[in-house]
Amino acid sequence: MQWPGVGESETRSGPGVGARAGRNRPAMIRRSLALALWRALAIACVALALLGAVLPVLPTVPFLIVAAWAGSRGWPRLEAWLLEHPKHGPAIRRWRDHGAVPRRAKWFATVMMVASTAALAASAAALWVKLGVPGLMAVVAVWLWLRPEV
């Protein structure tokens, strides 16, 4: 019997089979490691989303979007579960399909950024932090408001 990638004189039990299996071992290890890392990222994001469900300063849906993305690469069942979730699934699908953010979420994020800037201004943080963080938040706010609202 001829196997793909095997010379005409080699069969499954012929010479070179063990060597080929040894050459594939690093690729298998890399794939297993990549799978484990995608799953670890997905689990970490789901854990952060769970924290966000009870802490008002931590968002939930962005972490679930990242978890679904990581799940699509290493955990299809988790991805499917997140996409079919009755409460958060529509937001994840809306982001995937259109890159859309609801207007209410945009307003909430903007108000939280302004409140964070005020708290930072009243703190004893270094001047570069007091200027840099609000600058970064302003860039994020502009990007956010440029997203569609499908």
Side-chain angles (χ1 to χ4, degrees):
M1 176 175 177
Q2 194 69 22
W3 294 90
V6 177
E8 289 182 22
S9 64
E10 297 175 348
T11 63
R12 186 169 187 194
S13 61
V17 172
R20 273 195 315 280
R23 283 193 306 259
N24 288 336
R25 175 158 272 184
M28 289 176 17
I29 291 171
R30 278 193 307 272
R31 169 135 172 77
S32 296
L33 180 60
L35 188 68
L37 290 174
W38 285 121
R39 287 183 173 198
L41 177 61
I43 289 169
C45 287
V46 168
L48 287 170
L50 289 172
L51 276 175
V54 294
L55 297 175
V57 296
L58 194 63
T60 300
V61 174
F63 288 115
L64 292 177
I65 289 171
V66 175
W69 171 72
S72 72
R73 283 149 175 75
W75 204 344
R77 287 183 63 192
L78 176 66
E79 176 196 21
W81 180 76
L82 289 170
L83 291 174
E84 295 303 319
H85 191 275
K87 182 174 181 180
H88 300 295
I92 297 168
R93 289 191 304 274
R94 189 172 36 249
W95 174 258
R96 275 196 172 176
D97 297 343
H98 308 288
V101 178
R103 183 170 297 219
R104 182 174 179 223
K106 291 178 183 183
W107 276 110
F108 182 74
T110 302
V111 167
M112 292 304 291
M113 285 187 236
V114 169
S116 297
T117 299
L120 188 61
S123 74
L127 180 62
W128 69 270
V129 173
K130 289 183 177 186
L131 297 175
V133 172
L136 180 63
M137 286 192 288
V139 170
V140 170
V142 168
W143 172 84
L144 184 64
W145 280 96
L146 291 174
R147 306 302 317 151
E149 297 177 0
V150 173

